[in-house]
Amino acid sequence: MFNIVLHEPRMPGNVGTIGRTAVALNCKLHLIKPYGFGDITEKEVRRAGLDYWKDLELFEYENIDEFWAKNPFSNRHFFATTKTNKAYFDAKFEVGDYIYFGREDAGLPEYILNKNKECCITIPMVKIARSLNLSNSVSIICYEALRQNFNFFK
């Protein structure tokens, strides 16, 4: 349905939980290295992913350039960030879109956000909240994308 892109994830439990969400939504999960943990087969990833992991369409990349070589950049790439005012529910998602999420400790790098500032989206929250948990953010935005494209959901 959609492509969830995690740029340099740090926490294996988040990756496992996001993998479960990807399966539930029929999404592909793209992981861009380096990770903040050893490797994708770590116990914490498997525990959070439960028995869904075998059904996950998972792709790994050594870096963002390899990812873009295999998934050419377009205006169908959306970047979740706290550094914009455009709410995720104002974006018009389509089946096949790429939705990027950054590191838990730093978000997406500026050079990625600058690829297309019009495609940067945020989850509104009060000023004292810096951010949400990565797996929660993925769920919020991807379920909005599903809501907008529910007729295509299988």
Side-chain angles (χ1 to χ4, degrees), residues 12-17 20 43-50 52-53:
N14 279 338
V15 173
T17 301
R20 287 171 63 184
K43 182 173 73 172
E44 292 88 354
V45 176
R46 289 192 321 270
R47 183 172 50 231
L50 296 174
Y52 293 88
W53 207 250

Side-chain angles (χ1 to χ4, degrees), residues 11 14 17-18 104 123 131-138 140:
M11 302 176 81
N14 279 338
T17 301
I18 293 165
E104 290 91 336
I123 300 169
S131 64
L132 296 172
N133 174 275
L134 180 61
S135 62
N136 290 340
S137 297
V138 169
I140 290 167

Side-chain angles (χ1 to χ4, degrees), residues 86-103:
K86 181 179 180 180
Y88 72 95
F89 44 77
D90 290 332
K92 303 300 180 214
F93 296 105
E94 297 177 8
V95 172
D97 282 351
Y98 291 81
I99 307 170
Y100 294 64
F101 299 87
R103 291 170 43 161

